[in-house]
Amino acid sequence: MIGVFDSGVGGLTVLKALLRELPAERFVYLGDTARLPYGTKSAETVGRYALQAAEALAGYGLKCLVMACNTASAVALPAVRAQLSTLPVIGVIEPGAEAAAAASPSGRIAVLATEGTVRGGAYQQAILRRRPDAQVYALPAPLFVALAEEGLSDGPIAEAVAHHYLDALFAAAGAGAPDTLVLGCTHFPMVAAAIRAAVGPAVRIVDSAETTARHVRAALCQAGLAQAGGQGGLRLLATDAPERFARIGARFLERPIGEREVELIDL
Ligand code: DGL
């Protein structure tokens, strides 16, 4: 069983990529909907929540834990690794940073994320470790979280918000603009079309959900832990409002989720 943890439904973008990459695996996904959002909370609080969620998931008999939440990965990955010392714990920051560092010709890289992820500096440090010559511009873009959950992922409102966040760095900077942009939040693949419209066709957009899924597959294969065949499976857990999780999550996962499919748990 592979555990996947997020603050809510957003991590279903990572789960979707994992299901595509590893169709024979069994997954258990936990969305901490009772305490969402993590992106506006202090590092101490997110750290405490992430440790509780990781502990609960470990009880399901995991071979690997994926911290799908960028904010939790940014502030709590070392603590969760220390707590679950026998399990591989994979966050979303390192795979995203690695892909961005490799994709950018100029080293000018923008990262769009929550306030908490930007404040912690984890993407900036992870990119600079791989590309000391890089210039990293980290921008908080919290409105995209609400837009994606409201189903306003594309269209004029999402595009106006994308211009609001990105024009100063992209349109106004001309030739000095970043050539690569990291979607450093679980919700942002949902608004990728609006972001693409704002930055133009030449910018390389790195989806940390996709890069993380490839990273998990490589890590499992390397450790000899990958499931060779079989049907796979999925268990969905939420800490509050399973109905809302099912309704909104279906858009993120791009498949219907029955309300009864989502189990309510307490942490
Ligand atoms: N899952 C969070 C992240 O990727 C976004 C939503 C939240 O703020 O909890 O940073």
Side-chain angles (χ1 to χ4, degrees):
M1 186 84 95
I2 299 175
V4 182
F5 158 61
D6 181 48
S7 55
V9 291
L12 294 172
T13 57
V14 180
L15 179 67
K16 188 173 64 184
L18 285 164
L19 289 167
R20 238 187 340 251
E21 200 69 33
L22 294 159
E25 299 289 349
R26 289 184 305 130
F27 291 92
V28 54
Y29 177 97
L30 169 60
D32 191 8
T33 43
R35 304 187 290 190
L36 161 127
Y38 281 14
T40 51
K41 295 194 169 74
S42 68
E44 292 70 31
T45 298
V46 172
R48 188 156 40 85
Y49 290 175
L51 285 171
Q52 289 169 354
E55 198 59 54
L57 273 174
Y60 287 78
L62 304 183
K63 61 179 176 182
C64 167
L65 174 66
V66 181
M67 302 254 291
C69 180
N70 287 255
T71 309
S73 296
V75 304
L77 190 61
V80 171
R81 279 191 174 142
Q83 178 170 275
L84 307 182
S85 54
T86 57
L87 276 187
V89 180
I90 297 172
V92 285
I93 306 277
E94 296 287 331
E98 193 174 308
S104 173
S106 71
R108 288 191 299 279
I109 298 168
V111 179
L112 269 188
T114 64
E115 265 174 69
T117 302
V118 169
R119 203 184 325 116
Y123 266 112
Q124 296 91 312
Q125 288 154 24
I127 292 169
L128 286 168
R129 267 200 302 280
R130 293 166 171 86
R131 284 276 302 255
D133 65 314
Q135 281 171 272
V136 187
Y137 309 87
L139 304 174
L143 283 175
F144 282 139
V145 172
L147 285 176
E149 296 211 357
E150 284 295 314
L152 296 171
S153 300
D154 47 24
I157 300 177
E159 284 183 23
V161 172
H163 282 292
H164 165 75
Y165 285 133
L166 295 163
D167 278 2
L169 189 57
F170 284 87
D179 57 35
T180 301
L181 171 67
V182 183
L183 305 180
C185 172
T186 48
H187 288 61
F188 297 176
M190 300 292 288
V191 291
I195 291 170
R196 166 63 74 203
V199 299
V203 172
R204 292 155 171 82
I205 294 184
V206 172
D207 178 341
S208 63
E210 296 289 342
T211 54
T212 300
R214 287 197 291 273
H215 191 89
V216 171
R217 185 162 64 83
L220 289 180
C221 291
Q222 205 176 16
L225 291 173
Q227 183 72 30
Q231 276 245 302
L234 174 59
R235 226 171 138 174
L236 296 169
L237 316 172
T239 53
D240 192 25
E243 178 282 326
R244 187 172 198 276
F245 182 101
R247 182 165 40 84
I248 297 179
R251 261 189 277 117
F252 284 69
L253 197 54
E254 285 186 297
R255 76 144 171 86
I257 301 176
E259 197 183 320
R260 295 234 191 88
E261 254 187 273
V262 186
E263 298 165 48
L264 187 62
I265 67 157
D266 205 10
L267 295 180

